[in-house]
Amino acid sequence: MTETPSSATPPSLTSLARGGGCGCKLDPAFLDRILADSPPLPLNPALLLDAATRDDAAVYKINDEMALVATTDFFAPVVDDPYDFGRIAATNALSDVYAMGAKPIFCLAVLGMPINVLPPETIRHILDGGRSVADSVGAPVAGGHSIDAAEPFYGLVALGLAHPDQILTNAGAKPGDVLILGKPLGVGVFSAAQKRGLLTPDDYDAMIATTTRLNTPGADLAGLTGVHAVTDVTGFGLLGHLSEMCRGSNLAARIDRTALPVFDGARRLLDQGVRTGASGRNWAAVEPYVTQTPDWSDSDRDMLCDPQTSGGLLVACTPDAAADVLAVFERHGHSAAVQIGQLEAGEPMISFSA
């Protein structure tokens, strides 16, 4: 292996990648074109959930009491600190297991690094950060796969277990359900600001705190009466993932714009013109499903389409269950969780109040 000389200063992680975090995801419209002619998966009664509904993970029924939840997620660096990058990537990957109502059991690492550019200790710190998160929830990294890549990327294959009758999907919402979002929006804006040297230390701390906060409430929500659908808000932004829930459930959504949680620093940076390239791609994909209001602004659009790395859970539940759902979030340290709207019978469109 070719190693960077010890006397050389390695480049920053984010400088080695064109994008970072969940903003690296292929945009929804391009993904549609890729998958348009894909043959259907073979019918298998044990495969409870596959890619057809674009849910957060696949689910395989092992027996009447147990189902295996499987997912993978990886991306390019969203921060320059290798340990923090590892923590963020692992937290993000495990989020998909929690979004299905499952508990993770073990993981496999997915690693690509330009080994002629980055020293071994930097790569080791990335792996250590990811391992620390996985170990904290009893889901050890048991192995994985690595390649020499032109751009750095890291993530996990995450496996979990759940009861087959308590799997949470993004397509089970009911008319009258309210929508609860577990984390504030703005991580994509923070990431873009960091690349431009505009992120303040306080904003950086806020970004690290939210992106390394595991979505553990999902496992408890699975057994809660009145919870009908859950997904996590990541690379397609709030509107993208909400539109998938609306289409999967064949319902319309109405969002209270004044209730949306947004980091103060992200609002300020948007006013300064900081935004991600992915927000525009996300908007192009979701625009047909959105009813705009007369006072709609570019900042509104960019924040609602901002790609969230390790974003919050989006929960659809009955109004009577909302207090219990919020209590679960609070118990797991997600004090920013808030009700942001509701679902209604109608075409799968998203509209806004206030």
Side-chain angles (χ1 to χ4, degrees):
M1 182 172 85
T2 302
E3 297 186 4
T4 301
S6 58
S7 60
T9 300
S12 65
L13 287 174
T14 55
S15 72
L16 297 175
R18 291 169 294 173
C22 285
C24 294
K25 292 176 72 169
L26 295 180
D27 75 78
F30 187 73
L31 192 59
D32 283 340
R33 301 209 314 267
I34 293 174
L35 300 177
D37 297 323
S38 297
L41 291 172
L43 295 176
N44 184 335
L47 191 59
L48 303 182
L49 205 62
D50 58 30
T53 60
R54 299 193 179 179
D55 219 316
D56 297 301
V59 181
Y60 187 91
K61 184 177 179 179
I62 298 174
N63 54 44
D64 290 343
E65 302 295 324
M66 188 179 300
L68 177 68
V69 175
T71 183
T72 185
D73 210 315
F74 55 89
F75 47 61
V78 67
V79 294
D80 290 322
D81 184 279
Y83 191 80
D84 282 345
F85 170 43
R87 293 168 63 212
I88 293 167
T91 303
N92 179 76
L94 288 165
S95 179
D96 287 339
V97 173
Y98 288 119
M100 308 302 294
K103 293 183 178 180
I105 53 173
F106 75 93
C107 306
L108 301 172
V110 180
L111 179 75
M113 292 287 146
I115 60 174
N116 63 326
V117 175
L118 290 176
E121 55 267 26
T122 295
I123 301 172
R124 187 180 308 118
H125 288 323
I126 294 171
L127 294 174
D128 287 346
R131 187 180 299 111
S132 71
V133 169
D135 286 346
S136 74
V137 292
V141 179
H145 186 67
S146 59
I147 65 170
D148 183 1
E151 295 187 15
F153 62 83
Y154 169 70
L156 298 176
V157 175
L159 303 172
L161 295 176
H163 193 286
D165 297 333
Q166 294 185 343
I167 297 294
L168 297 172
T169 75
N170 65 358
K174 309 293 183 185
D177 279 352
V178 297
L179 292 165
I180 293 173
L181 181 61
K183 293 183 182 181
L185 304 174
V187 171
V189 173
F190 280 162
S191 178
Q194 176 172 290
K195 274 183 167 282
R196 294 171 55 179
L198 299 175
L199 197 65
T200 68
D202 286 345
D203 290 341
Y204 181 85
D205 289 345
M207 179 174 66
I208 296 300
T210 191
T211 54
T212 59
R213 183 171 293 116
L214 285 154
N215 277 323
T216 51
D220 286 349
L221 293 175
L224 201 59
T225 301
V227 174
H228 293 145
V230 176
T231 190
D232 61 340
V233 178
T234 54
F236 297 155
L238 175 61
L239 289 187
H241 292 283
L242 175 56
S243 72
E244 289 181 339
M245 182 180 286
C246 289
R247 284 177 280 168
S249 305
N250 198 27
L251 295 173
R254 181 173 294 275
I255 301 299
D256 179 358
R257 284 166 54 187
T258 64
L260 287 171
V262 178
F263 287 106
D264 290 339
R267 291 188 188 277
R268 182 187 68 252
L269 289 162
L270 266 180
D271 290 341
Q272 296 173 12
V274 177
R275 50 192 35 84
T276 70
S279 64
R281 299 194 300 270
N282 286 343
W283 171 246
V286 80
E287 184 177 7
Y289 305 100
V290 178
T291 300
Q292 300 181 56
T293 59
D295 60 343
W296 186 268
S297 70
D298 289 345
S299 291
D300 290 328
R301 182 201 68 187
D302 288 330
M303 184 54 67
L304 290 164
C305 295
D306 188 52
Q308 302 304 289
T309 298
S310 190
L313 295 178
L314 179 65
V315 181
C317 66
T318 62
D320 290 344
D324 290 336
V325 169
L326 289 170
V328 169
F329 275 109
E330 182 69 32
R331 187 165 68 248
H332 286 262
H334 290 245
S335 58
V338 65
Q339 183 174 319
I340 64 168
Q342 65 183 38
L343 294 165
E344 307 164 346
E347 293 296 315
M349 296 288 293
I350 302 170
S351 59
F352 298 87
S353 60

